[in-house]
Amino acid sequence: MMRVRSVLLSALLSASLVHAAPAVPAAEGAWPRLRKERLRKLLPQAMARAGVDAWVVLCRENDNDPLAAHVGGENAGGTAAFLFLRDGDALRSVALSPVGEATALKDMAVVDEVVPVDRGADVLALVAARLVKAKPAKVAINSSERMSIADGLSATQRAKLEAALTPALRKRLVSSEDLVSEWLSVKLPEEVDIMRKAAALTAQLEEEAYRTVVPGRTRDSDVARFLKKRIAELGVGDGWQPDQNPNVNSGPTRGHSNATDRVIQAGDFIQTDFGIRVGNTWVTDIQRFAYVLAPGEKQAPAEALAKWEKSKKGSRIALAAMKPGARGYDVDKAQRDWMREAGSEPVMWGTGHPVGYWAHDAGPALSGAQSGKPATGSALRTLQPGQVFAFDGFFAWKDGSSPDALRILSVEEMAVVTDTGAEYLNPPQEQLILIPSAPKP
């Protein structure tokens, strides 16, 4: 009984100390300034790489384009149009906006020119006139079958836009998918620094949460509630859908889902998939793993440690493959080759994905090799300096509960691509977090 009380007291003391978390990254208020810099520095380069001369973003109230906040259209009431016109390395940005919001746009100085439009006036006719004058060879619009954040143009908006354009301009319309991928995937150095600090905070909060676990009593959902409480205290947001963040998983592998009321037991691996949002803009996506020791154990069994080490090595191999010019497919294949060598069962999920403004951001997908077929889609996109990824090292085995049931370790870290390779945003997890169990009375 004394030993049980000692373990419980240790958990309570740990829980009382967790408020000494690092400071939240100083990201509040940074977005308006960094948004302007992104438009000025990165958008012309992205348009050139995507081979487009003009980009049209239509914004409106209540059902706005997913990229509205990236171009200054978050306050749209009536229809507003944002035009980005490239002439070589130069970029001219224009907002055609209803008169009320036009005043705010001028004050924000997001774009070069703001044209107030009377209520009820035909904004799309003005867009067409600007495009006729600019004579672009290709005009990007937010219509995409594969990328939701580049698919903000509704069917009715597109029909009205096409009706306003000349037949020649209609033929020049292309999806903005390539442009959006090229632009959003690359982060400014200051953005990377914000995300670096946010990643460190994310990992520490996960480690704090594990210190509250009492095997046989604590549920996965208790760990999730602890993390929810901490992000509320710190004033940061959820990295993705609140009902699925964090996903704490001590039982059968569930993929993206909410934490359940399963009670954590000795012999469990605990996986916490967790992300935060800072500055109401930048998000993280990191996993931390713990192992619950049996009563009297001082370290995890050799079999459990071997699985952990194989999963961890997969992460390191993926990082080594993340170099400028490499395809997302190549990174995924490097890890798949290791998984086969290590004796892992196949895993259906890709190795990784871009992360930044969304947990699953625009850019190259680190996937495709699990099918054994040639690379397709966003896995064909090449890595560039300034792109940030969340990526996993996988090791999977059959858990015996059913013929097809798998248990999967997915050591997920975040890294930024540099001029010469890639580097972790924060120190990666090297050792399993060990949680002691109380001896049986």
Side-chain angles (χ1 to χ4, degrees):
M1 180 62 72
M2 288 298 294
R3 173 59 179 160
V4 173
R5 288 178 178 171
S6 174
V7 171
L8 292 176
L9 179 60
S10 175
L12 290 171
L13 287 173
S14 295
S16 70
L17 294 174
V18 296
H19 295 280
V24 176
E28 293 299 330
W31 176 241
R33 173 176 53 80
L34 291 173
R35 171 172 61 182
K36 293 180 194 177
E37 190 173 348
R38 289 187 54 80
L39 288 168
R40 180 174 59 86
K41 286 185 176 181
L42 300 183
L43 184 56
Q45 300 170 13
M47 292 178 74
R49 289 194 298 269
V52 299
D53 310 293
W55 183 29
V56 179
V57 182
L58 299 184
C59 297
R60 60 181 176 177
E61 191 175 29
N62 296 332
D63 187 22
N64 216 339
D65 191 286
L67 301 180
H70 290 263
V71 299
E74 64 270 23
N75 297 319
T79 297
F82 291 77
L83 278 68
F84 301 91
L85 307 170
R86 182 175 67 91
D87 183 8
D89 294 333
L91 182 72
R92 179 74 180 168
S93 54
V94 182
L96 306 168
S97 170
V99 290
E101 292 82 9
T103 301
L105 277 171
K106 288 180 180 179
D107 291 342
M108 292 160 61
V110 180
V111 294
D112 300 323
E113 179 185 1
V114 178
V115 179
V117 179
D118 291 334
R119 297 281 174 177
D122 190 345
V123 173
L124 299 182
L126 298 175
V127 170
R130 291 271 179 163
L131 291 175
V132 166
K133 186 177 180 181
K135 300 178 181 178
K138 289 186 179 180
V139 181
I141 57 173
N142 290 349
S143 181
S144 170
E145 294 182 359
R146 296 181 296 184
M147 185 186 294
S148 61
I149 58 176
D151 192 38
L153 194 66
S154 72
T156 54
Q157 285 177 311
R158 177 160 188 164
K160 290 179 179 179
L161 175 61
E162 290 187 356
L165 298 177
T166 64
L169 281 171
R170 278 183 224 131
K171 294 178 181 179
R172 299 172 191 174
L173 296 179
V174 299
S175 171
S176 66
E177 183 177 304
D178 288 343
L179 167 60
V180 169
S181 179
E182 293 288 346
W183 184 42
L184 291 190
S185 64
V186 177
K187 305 302 186 284
L188 295 165
E190 187 173 343
E191 293 183 284
V192 174
D193 187 56
I194 289 170
M195 294 177 67
R196 194 184 301 278
K197 294 182 175 69
L201 175 58
T202 304
Q204 176 157 336
L205 291 177
E206 291 180 86
E207 292 164 12
E208 289 178 1
Y210 283 139
R211 293 201 291 271
T212 70
V213 172
V214 179
R217 288 182 49 183
T218 304
R219 299 167 295 179
D220 290 353
S221 56
D222 293 328
V223 179
R225 275 188 288 271
F226 173 87
L227 287 168
K228 285 290 195 186
K229 181 173 181 288
R230 291 297 284 130
I231 64 176
E233 292 170 347
L234 293 168
V236 298
D238 285 287
W240 52 87
Q241 298 96 315
D243 61 343
Q244 294 187 6
N245 181 50
N247 180 13
V248 181
N249 189 180
S250 66
T253 300
R254 297 193 308 270
H256 292 290
S257 65
N258 59 292
T260 71
D261 288 334
R262 182 185 186 278
V263 177
I264 296 169
Q265 305 287 345
D268 284 340
F269 281 103
I270 313 175
Q271 170 196 31
T272 297
D273 190 0
F274 179 51
I276 64 173
R277 181 179 295 274
V278 298
N280 201 34
T281 302
W282 299 274
V283 303
T284 61
D285 182 6
I286 290 175
Q287 295 184 33
R288 287 293 178 261
F289 280 81
Y291 184 84
V292 183
L293 299 171
E297 282 186 334
K298 300 298 183 183
Q299 63 180 18
E303 183 180 5
L305 286 174
K307 292 171 180 173
W308 164 254
E309 290 297 331
K310 290 175 181 179
S311 179
K312 188 175 73 173
K313 185 170 180 179
S315 169
R316 280 37 174 185
I317 287 172
L319 181 83
M322 293 168 60
K323 299 176 181 179
R327 300 173 303 173
Y329 177 93
D330 299 326
V331 178
D332 191 47
K333 186 176 185 304
Q335 197 208 174
R336 302 289 166 183
D337 291 344
W338 161 246
M339 290 170 65
R340 285 190 289 271
E341 181 182 339
S344 172
E345 295 289 333
V347 172
M348 70 290 289
W349 301 307
T351 289
H353 53 83
V355 60
Y357 309 119
W358 294 270
H360 291 178
D361 208 339
L366 310 183
S367 64
Q370 66 267 38
S371 68
K373 299 177 181 179
T376 59
S378 58
L380 281 170
R381 299 188 186 280
T382 56
L383 277 61
Q384 300 177 47
Q387 292 175 337
V388 178
F389 293 90
F391 64 102
D392 298 280
F394 290 128
F395 185 78
W397 67 97
K398 293 182 178 180
D399 72 0
S401 60
S402 69
D404 298 322
L406 289 181
R407 296 298 300 272
I408 302 173
L409 295 182
S410 51
V411 180
E412 186 173 35
E413 305 286 354
M414 290 177 63
V416 59
V417 180
T418 68
D419 290 333
T420 57
E423 61 183 34
Y424 287 112
L425 277 195
N426 63 300
Q429 183 177 1
E430 296 290 353
Q431 305 294 332
L432 273 172
I433 296 169
L434 300 179
I435 298 175
S437 289
K440 294 181 180 180

